[in-house]
Amino acid sequence: MAAGAPHGAGVRGPQGGGGLRESLAGLTTRGRSFLAAGIAAGLCAYVLGQSELLRVGLLLAVLPLICVFALHRTRHRVSGSRRLTPMRVPAGSEARVQLRLDNTSRMPTGLLMLQDRVPYVLGPRPRFVLDRVEPGGRREVSYRVRSDLRGRYPLGPLQLRLTDPFGLVELTRSFSAYDTLTVIPRTEALPAVRLTGESSGYGDGSRRSLALAGEDDVIPRGYRRGDDLRRVHWRSTARYGELMVRREEQPQRSRATVLLDTRRLAYEGAGPDSAFEWAVSGAASVLVHLLEQGFSVRLLTDTGDCVPREGGGFTSGGQESAEAAGLMMDTLAVVGHSDGAGLSRAYDAVRSNGLGSDFGGAGGDGLLIAFFGDLDDVQTGLAAKMCRRGGGAVAFVLDSADWSGRPRPAAAGQGLPPLVERLAGLRDAGWTALAAPPGVAFGELWRQAGNAPIGTVGGSGSAGGWG
């Protein structure tokens, strides 16, 4: 059921023999036992010639059939609705589900049991017993759901069970509609830091002047109160039938790309505390932070897929930006491992920037934030080539040896762990590269990224900091 929208369902079964057979199938264990005992008593009365026993057998056998017929002829009609608040919730947080049942018939209902289908990861299946709903009456109940695992989970359809006073028959009717709860990754509030090569979301560095060489280069806009009449563009005014003015310059939001490495071979382990889930949560935190800072943002994965796809691949601002942000969070809610072996598609997307121009990774003033899993020599080289002049590039590298607790192997012939070599290769190419060990808050790593100079490699190579 769509949130807040009513949907009707008749408690009465379908007309015809099929409906009666369905009602007979609704006999409970108690009802079947009564029917079997009645038949057995009737047979014994026939063999033994006991008329009193035959009366008892008829009573036991007829009572469940009377209840079946009574429920089959019931003319109750009810409508139900579900309201999910909120429909998008971070992992580990609760959402409230409110159910409303309306009796739209002219007769009061009997005993009703309301049950909503809920995936097991959201908790136990909620059940409610409604004693009696008067004609035109309404009943509201609510329950809460919670999941530590991100994803999209269906709620519903809502089921309604009708029973007789003796508990001999139980009929189930289901509503057809359902809602979807989206559990997005956990996000962490990040400190406002100045990353190397970054320009602010709005500012002098992100403004451009429009060409003034000819009338065809002028981009007009509608007249606003207070505009200088000397800026009126008469040709556009005549074309559109309303007063238009020349827009001599327009603000352009600084762009940022968040790259998420989803390769299956780059991560080990699973669950809420795994390295991959940390990377997804970190990417979500960066997206939210950059949007709050006024950046135009896009999400890119190692498969080359980009969100949003419209508008050059970047959020544009206003209502469209809010919708694109929701789309990116929904994407991160269901993103899984890819079967790719390398970062070539992401590299091509960064180099060609097929979804728009002026991308910082290809020579503009944009910002590139990457979350990498295990990197070999080839993938380190590809990642290094993604960094270009004029834009900041920050990489958070996760090492499976750290996250799985395995001893970290040394590089052949050098004695340095592979992670340190990968970080050094990225820093030499201009990346601000940090190792992301387990147990370290992402906000602290983000603060380190804002305080670190480009290409600086520490001497010790520790897993938790700058090498």
Side-chain angles (χ1 to χ4, degrees), residues 132-464:
R132 180 181 180 274
V133 183
E134 65 278 5
R138 174 186 300 174
R139 297 291 184 271
E140 293 185 357
V141 293
S142 63
Y143 64 95
R144 295 184 178 274
V145 291
R146 178 181 181 274
S147 175
D148 292 327
L149 300 175
R150 58 185 175 82
R152 293 173 61 87
Y153 302 101
L155 299 178
L158 188 64
Q159 290 184 331
L160 193 65
R161 293 186 181 181
L162 179 65
T163 62
D164 65 287
F166 303 102
L168 302 180
V169 185
E170 182 179 89
L171 299 181
T172 301
R173 297 291 181 265
S174 295
F175 295 86
S176 59
Y178 64 92
D179 287 325
T180 301
L181 174 66
T182 303
V183 181
I184 62 177
R186 293 184 180 93
T187 58
E188 182 178 347
L190 302 180
V193 298
R194 184 80 172 186
L195 299 176
T196 306
E198 170 194 356
S199 62
S200 59
Y202 292 101
D204 295 336
S206 57
R207 301 182 68 92
R208 63 181 180 183
S209 297
L210 299 176
L212 301 177
E215 293 291 333
D216 293 337
D217 294 325
V218 176
I219 301 179
R221 63 168 174 82
Y223 174 82
R224 299 171 186 170
R225 185 175 180 179
D227 284 339
D228 190 348
L229 293 178
R230 291 175 296 181
R231 294 173 55 194
V232 173
H233 190 250
W234 298 108
R235 180 180 297 181
S236 297
T237 298
R239 177 185 302 174
Y240 297 106
E242 60 176 321
L243 203 59
M244 307 291 290
V245 297
R246 289 188 298 270
R247 182 167 47 182
E248 296 177 355
E249 64 176 16
Q250 65 180 20
Q252 179 183 354
R253 308 173 78 191
S254 295
R255 293 179 171 182
T257 293
V258 178
L259 172 61
L260 177 63
D261 181 7
T262 65
R263 294 172 299 136
R264 188 183 306 276
L265 54 81
Y267 301 92
E268 292 184 8
D273 298 326
S274 64
F276 181 66
E277 293 300 323
W278 187 96
V280 173
S281 179
S285 300
V286 171
L287 286 172
V288 172
H289 176 74
L290 293 178
L291 286 171
E292 291 176 350
Q293 297 298 316
F295 279 81
S296 182
V297 185
R298 72 171 179 175
L299 173 66
L300 180 68
T301 66
D302 60 288
T303 61
D305 295 332
C306 183
V307 180
R309 297 182 183 274
E310 293 81 12
F314 293 90
T315 56
S316 57
Q319 182 64 28
E320 293 79 5
S321 180
E323 294 175 357
L327 180 60
M328 287 187 288
M329 297 305 291
D330 289 346
T331 301
L332 290 177
V334 297
V335 68
H337 289 294
S338 69
D339 295 327
L343 302 172
S344 58
R345 293 182 180 179
Y347 170 75
D348 293 339
V350 170
R351 285 295 302 270
S352 63
N353 192 25
L355 297 173
S357 60
D358 298 333
F359 171 52
D365 61 347
L367 184 63
L368 176 61
I369 309 293
F371 293 83
F372 294 122
D374 289 336
L375 299 174
D376 56 22
D377 292 338
V378 176
Q379 308 314 318
T380 301
L382 284 175
K385 294 178 182 178
M386 294 181 191
C387 183
R388 288 292 183 266
R389 297 176 302 165
V394 181
F396 300 95
V397 184
L398 292 83
D399 183 41
S400 295
D402 283 336
W403 285 85
S404 63
R406 296 186 285 105
R408 184 187 299 168
Q414 297 184 15
L416 290 177
L419 177 61
V420 178
E421 288 192 341
R422 309 305 182 223
L423 294 176
L426 294 177
R427 291 165 183 161
D428 289 342
W431 284 85
T432 299
L434 296 87
V440 176
F442 179 64
E444 179 60 30
L445 293 180
W446 183 257
R447 184 177 292 105
Q448 293 182 30
N451 297 330
I454 283 183
T456 302
V457 181
S460 61
S462 62

